[in-house]
Amino acid sequence: IVATSDGGFLLAGNSYSFAGNDKSEDAKGLSDFWLVKIDSLGNVLWDRTFGGDKEDENPKVAVLSDGSFLIAGTSISHALHDKTVHNRGVS
């Protein structure tokens, strides 16, 4: 969880689910980064799913000075969907 400049928060975790209930986007692979933006009252403003075709896990988020976000984590996905570089280890 990181505080954002508008008084809200960005929640980062993993998802193994397709769209439905609280999640608005389908899974990209076996596990994905799932980001949820909430306001100061806990109301969901938006959510996004990021990942490749396999496992993308343990997202870490930093809020930059211009209000944008930097997301990093571990991945064994190939270059597909949101990932632009193939993995260099586990296949």
Side-chain angles (χ1 to χ4, degrees):
I1 299 173
V2 294
T4 57
S5 59
D6 61 2
F9 297 91
L10 188 64
L11 316 175
N14 290 101
S15 174
Y16 306 88
S17 303
F18 288 97
N21 297 318
D22 296 321
K23 191 165 184 271
S24 67
E25 296 181 326
D26 277 338
K28 309 272 177 106
L30 299 176
S31 64
D32 302 302
F33 298 166
W34 186 33
L35 274 60
V36 180
K37 175 71 170 78
I38 61 173
D39 64 18
S40 61
L41 300 174
N43 298 306
V44 174
L45 302 176
W46 53 261
D47 72 290
R48 289 287 314 270
T49 301
F50 296 97
D53 63 335
K54 293 192 178 186
E55 296 172 10
D56 304 287
E57 298 184 329
N58 305 312
K60 307 294 186 255
V61 178
V63 179
L64 305 180
S65 60
D66 66 358
S68 61
F69 309 112
L70 178 64
I71 308 162
T74 59
S75 176
I76 63 168
S77 291
H78 298 98
L80 187 65
H81 304 298
D82 300 311
K83 191 166 179 217
T84 58
V85 178
H86 285 291
N87 65 41
R88 290 183 167 78
V90 178
S91 57

